[in-house]
């Protein structure tokens, strides 16, 4: 990811940042005084937080957030075009770090794992720059992101494996029966065909919990594992509306490839 | 390796270790750390498990205007159409914001008891959001509720999960 900035896949995370910018621009009125993300609401939620967080969270209403997201969209586009190996790309990525930090502090609600991972990617990039932007620093950054993604899949898989609902194949039908995350018609289908739910549930459990083993496997197995990941996140986007996960998680797959190569050479 | 690279490796190793501990909710220790480090940097990667969501948490409220209670209204931002939500889905952010606050209120309510929830940040935040949507000068009372819905095989189901106290809308506007 950082170690091989010439690969186009390393720029997927920044496509996700453009999507976020567009979504936050769409929601800009929610940051005004009567909106869902108003400073008043945030002040209530952050009443016990450190002063710095409260100060950042008080910055700007809808117009300010819209402007910040405009800057983020432009900066992310620069990174996509120039990569993080160029000076322009580096500066643009650091601008994305600043704008993303702002929107993280300013929003507080409605976040997801995709935003967590995206912000961690940007912070890690900033730390790599502070460490001197050497080849070794970039590889260390990649190794960290690979370890985080692996931890994410393993934790998710274990939490499903210990769940009677997931093990018995009743989870996906339940999730897809909700309007927020689901496709009710598909939910009804899975409830009516529990064997399909069971097969899908165990596929996800096995893939997630076995993910760390891909680092020990030959390259074709690793590539197959990552291909399943692309399908998994694309399916979650289509069937559950989790649209930012493909960009965030698949965007870190180059870091996994780099780390695998280091382990095997 | 240079000193800066070594420090980077140590820092990222510590960050990963903290992340790993947080997956298992190591109680007081990680809670203390999370107070000093922004929560977004200490991730939780467990989604939809062990218990998957089975219903949507919907927020409804009503106002008292000129001495009469109006109909229950819903704080509804809508859902993105399936044709575009795989790519562009701002509605899910709003949905998660409201359901996150509602779910936090429900889980705290069961722990804090009958009136203990009144001072929780989720209760006050929800009240604040709804007060700002109420007809400002004319509203004298406000009450909200959390309703759980899902599309079951035999049709839509509703369950009232929580009903707030009745608040003076003018006082709530000042306090919230």
């Amino acid at each position: 990811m950082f170690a091989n900035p010439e690969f186009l896949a390393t720029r997927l995370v920044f496509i996700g940042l453009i999507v976020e910018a567009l979504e936050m621009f769409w929601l800009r009125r929610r940051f005004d005084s009567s909106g869902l993300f108003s400073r008043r609401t945030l002040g209530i939620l952050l009443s016990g937080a450190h002063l710095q967080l409260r100060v950042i969270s008080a910055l700007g209403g809808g117009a300010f957030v819209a402007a910040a997201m405009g800057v983020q969209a432009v900066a992310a586009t620069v990174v996509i075009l120039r990569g993080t190996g160029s000076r322009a790309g580096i500066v643009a990525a650091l601008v994305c770090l600043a704008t993303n930090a702002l929107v993280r502090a300013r929003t507080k609600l409605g976040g997801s794992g995709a935003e967590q991972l995206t912000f961690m990617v940007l912070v890690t990039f900033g730390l790599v720059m502070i460490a001197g932007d050497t080849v070794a620093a970039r590889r260390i950054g990649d190794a960290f992101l690979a370890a985080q993604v692996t931890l994410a899949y393993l934790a998710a898989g274990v939490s499903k494996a210990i769940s009677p609902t997931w093990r018995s194949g009743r989870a996906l039908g339940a999730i897809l029966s909700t309007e927020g995350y689901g496709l009710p018609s598909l939910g009804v289908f899975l409830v009516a065909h529990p064997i399909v739910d069971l097969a899908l549930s165990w596929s996800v459990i096995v893939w997630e919990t076995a993910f760390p083993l891909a680092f020990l496997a030959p390259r074709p197995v690793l590539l197959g594992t990552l291909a399943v990941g692309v399908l998994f996140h694309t399916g979650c986007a289509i069937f559950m509306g989790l649209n930012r996960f493909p960009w965030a998680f698949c965007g870190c797959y180059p870091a996994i490839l780099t780390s695998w190569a280091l382990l095997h050479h | 390796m240079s000193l800066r690279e070594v420090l980077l490796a140590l820092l990222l190793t510590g960050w990963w270790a903290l992340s790993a501990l947080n997956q298992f909710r190591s109680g007081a220790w990680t809670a203390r750390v999370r107070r000093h480090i922004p929560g977004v940097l200490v991730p939780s990667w467990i989604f939809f498990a062990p218990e998957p969501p089975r219903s949507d948490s919907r927020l409804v409220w009503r106002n008292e205007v000129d001495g009469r209670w109006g109909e229950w209204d819903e704080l509804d931002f809508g859902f993105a159409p399936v044709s575009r939500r795989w790519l562009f889905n701002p509605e899910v952010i709003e949905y998660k914001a409201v359901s996150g606050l509602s779910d936090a209120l429900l889980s705290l309510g069961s722990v804090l008891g009958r009136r203990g929830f009144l001072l929780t940040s989720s209760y006050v935040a929800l009240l604040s959001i709804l007060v700002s949507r109420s007809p400002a000068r004319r509203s004298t009372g406000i009450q909200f509720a959390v309703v759980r819905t899902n599309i079951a095989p035999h049709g839509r189901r509703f369950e009232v999960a929580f009903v707030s106290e009745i608040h003076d809308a003018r006082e709530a506007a000042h306090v919230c």
Side-chain angles (χ1 to χ4, degrees), chain A residues 19 22-24 26-27 30 33-37 40-41 44-45 50 53 104 107 109-113 115-117 119-120 123-124 127-132 134 136-137 140-141 144 147-148 151-152 155-156 159-160 162-166 170-171 174-175 177-184 188 191 237-245 247 249, chain B residues 1-2 4-6 8-9 11-13 15-16 19-21 23-24 35-56 58 75 77 79 82 84-101 120-122 124-125 128-129 131-133 149-153 156 172-173 175-176:
Chain A
V19 173
L22 292 172
E23 290 180 344
M24 285 301 166
W26 179 280
L27 295 174
R30 305 282 187 256
S33 58
S34 62
L36 185 59
F37 305 119
R40 184 166 69 175
T41 301
I44 293 168
L45 295 172
H50 281 293
L53 275 176
R104 294 280 72 75
T107 311
L109 298 169
S112 73
E115 281 123 31
Q116 285 185 125
L117 182 59
F119 188 56
M120 292 177 86
V123 171
T124 304
L127 292 172
V128 166
M129 293 299 110
I130 291 172
T134 60
I140 291 168
F144 169 72
Q148 275 290 356
L151 173 65
S159 67
K160 294 181 179 76
I162 65 174
S163 163
T165 308
W166 276 95
R170 289 174 289 130
I175 295 168
S177 296
T178 66
E179 289 181 282
Y181 293 116
L183 207 55
V188 169
V191 169
I238 292 171
F239 295 113
M240 298 175 65
L242 299 176
N243 61 312
R244 294 209 225 148
F245 278 74
W247 309 116
F249 277 80
Chain B
M1 282 170 70
S2 71
R4 283 201 279 182
E5 289 162 356
V6 170
L8 175 67
L11 176 64
L12 294 181
T13 301
W15 187 1
W16 186 89
S19 305
L21 278 172
Q23 304 315 304
F24 304 103
R35 250 181 248 128
H36 300 283
I37 299 175
V40 70
L41 291 177
V42 187
S44 172
W45 297 124
I46 297 174
F47 317 122
F48 302 114
E51 272 310 305
R54 299 169 187 280
S55 57
D56 301 289
R58 313 294 285 265
L75 187 67
F77 301 107
F79 297 103
V82 174
R84 71 146 163 91
R85 71 176 188 173
W86 61 276
L87 183 62
F88 181 72
N89 193 4
E91 291 89 345
V92 78
I93 299 170
E94 297 170 301
Y95 168 83
K96 286 166 64 178
V98 173
S99 64
L101 284 174
T120 58
S121 56
S122 47
V124 179
S128 171
I129 290 165
V131 162
S132 67
R133 289 173 164 265
T149 70
N150 72 354
I151 310 292
R156 206 167 191 215
V175 171
C176 297

Side-chain angles (χ1 to χ4, degrees), chain A residues 87-240:
Chain A
R87 186 179 296 270
I90 290 170
V91 172
L94 294 175
V95 168
C96 286
L97 170 59
T99 57
N100 200 249
L102 178 78
V103 80
R104 294 280 72 75
R106 190 63 187 78
T107 311
K108 187 76 172 122
L109 298 169
S112 73
E115 281 123 31
Q116 285 185 125
L117 182 59
T118 301
F119 188 56
M120 292 177 86
V121 168
L122 294 171
V123 171
T124 304
F125 184 73
L127 292 172
V128 166
M129 293 299 110
I130 291 172
D133 192 19
T134 60
V135 171
R138 284 184 176 246
R139 285 175 176 167
I140 291 168
D142 277 349
F144 169 72
L145 291 176
Q148 275 290 356
V149 171
T150 303
L151 173 65
Y153 288 140
L154 181 62
V158 168
S159 67
K160 294 181 179 76
I162 65 174
S163 163
T165 308
W166 276 95
R167 287 203 310 271
S168 63
R170 289 174 289 130
L172 286 173
I175 295 168
L176 292 171
S177 296
T178 66
E179 289 181 282
Y181 293 116
L183 207 55
S185 56
L186 184 56
V188 169
F189 172 82
L190 288 177
V191 169
H193 300 84
I195 193 75
V196 177
D197 196 332
L198 187 69
L200 288 172
S201 297
W202 274 99
S203 300
V204 173
I205 290 171
V206 168
W207 178 75
E208 286 183 332
T209 49
F211 193 90
L213 299 176
F215 283 94
L216 306 175
R219 189 176 166 89
V221 174
L222 174 67
L223 291 176
T225 302
L226 296 182
V228 170
V230 172
L231 285 174
F232 169 68
H233 287 298
T234 304
C236 289
I238 292 171
F239 295 113
M240 298 175 65

Side-chain angles (χ1 to χ4, degrees), chain A residues 9-20:
Chain A
T10 62
R11 305 171 198 193
L12 289 175
V13 167
F14 294 91
I15 297 178
L17 284 167
I18 293 176
V19 173
E20 177 186 65

Side-chain angles (χ1 to χ4, degrees), chain A residues 241-261:
Chain A
L242 299 176
N243 61 312
R244 294 209 225 148
F245 278 74
W247 309 116
F249 277 80
C250 300
C252 289
Y253 286 0
I256 292 174
L257 287 167
T258 301
S259 301
W260 179 93

Side-chain angles (χ1 to χ4, degrees), chain A residues 38-41 43-44, chain B residues 123-132 167-176:
Chain A
S38 68
R39 280 171 281 190
R40 184 166 69 175
T41 301
I44 293 168
Chain B
Y123 186 96
V124 179
L126 286 170
L127 188 59
S128 171
I129 290 165
L130 295 171
V131 162
S132 67
H167 296 276
D168 186 313
R170 290 159 299 187
E171 278 184 15
H174 290 301
V175 171
C176 297

